[in-house]
């Protein structure tokens, strides 16, 4: 059961915050109130797009790999974001690309 799983996590020291508001801004405000100043969003494209659409993104990072994992999932759209040219870092056979986003609140 989900509650049993959550209880087991809490016993391990995981803080689980339950609230009814699904606003990302509210979630970020609550995290900031706990001293969390940086957050890596590694969800699927729907969550990523929600952060982008609400202009809650300061930096984008993505990795290109020569290995194919199949068709995968579509990436979130970066349309309308004011970004700089990506910085490129080689990680073995993979390439990390990252860019800062301007105009975020």
């Amino acid at each position: 059961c989900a509650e049993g799983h959550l209880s087991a996590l809490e016993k391990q020291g995981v803080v689980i915050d339950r609230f009814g508001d699904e606003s990302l801004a509210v979630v970020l405000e609550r995290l900031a109130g706990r001293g969390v100043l940086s957050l890596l969003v590694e969800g699927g494209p729907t969550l990523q797009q929600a952060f982008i659409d609400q202009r809650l993104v300061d930096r984008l990072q993505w990795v290109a790999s020569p290995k194919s994992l199949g068709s995968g999932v579509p990436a979130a759209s970066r349309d309308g974001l004011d970004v700089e040219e990506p910085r490129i870092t080689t990680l073995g056979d993979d390439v990390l690309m990252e860019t800062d986003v301007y105009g975020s609140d």
Side-chain angles (χ1 to χ4, degrees), residues 38-60:
S38 180
L39 180 68
L40 171 66
V41 176
E42 193 180 17
T46 302
L47 180 60
Q48 293 170 359
Q49 194 66 56
F51 271 87
I52 290 170
D53 290 347
Q54 294 180 39
R55 305 194 64 76
L56 298 170
V57 176
D58 295 318
R59 177 175 295 147
L60 296 170

Side-chain angles (χ1 to χ4, degrees), residues 11-95:
K11 287 178 184 174
Q12 295 295 317
V14 174
V15 176
I16 298 173
D17 199 352
R18 298 173 178 95
F19 54 98
D21 195 325
E22 295 182 9
S23 164
L24 293 175
V26 170
V27 172
L28 295 178
E29 286 173 13
R30 189 160 302 178
L31 289 172
R34 291 186 171 169
V36 176
L37 303 178
S38 180
L39 180 68
L40 171 66
V41 176
E42 193 180 17
T46 302
L47 180 60
Q48 293 170 359
Q49 194 66 56
F51 271 87
I52 290 170
D53 290 347
Q54 294 180 39
R55 305 194 64 76
L56 298 170
V57 176
D58 295 318
R59 177 175 295 147
L60 296 170
Q61 297 177 313
W62 62 103
V63 175
S65 174
K67 296 180 182 172
S68 175
L69 299 176
S71 61
V73 295
S77 171
R78 296 183 294 273
D79 292 344
L81 292 180
D82 183 13
V83 298
E84 63 180 22
E85 278 296 312
R87 295 176 297 284
I88 297 176
T89 305
T90 302
L91 305 169
D93 291 338
D94 299 335
V95 175

Side-chain angles (χ1 to χ4, degrees), residues 1-16 18:
C1 106
E3 279 301 316
H5 182 69
L6 294 178
S7 294
L9 289 171
E10 289 175 322
K11 287 178 184 174
Q12 295 295 317
V14 174
V15 176
I16 298 173
R18 298 173 178 95

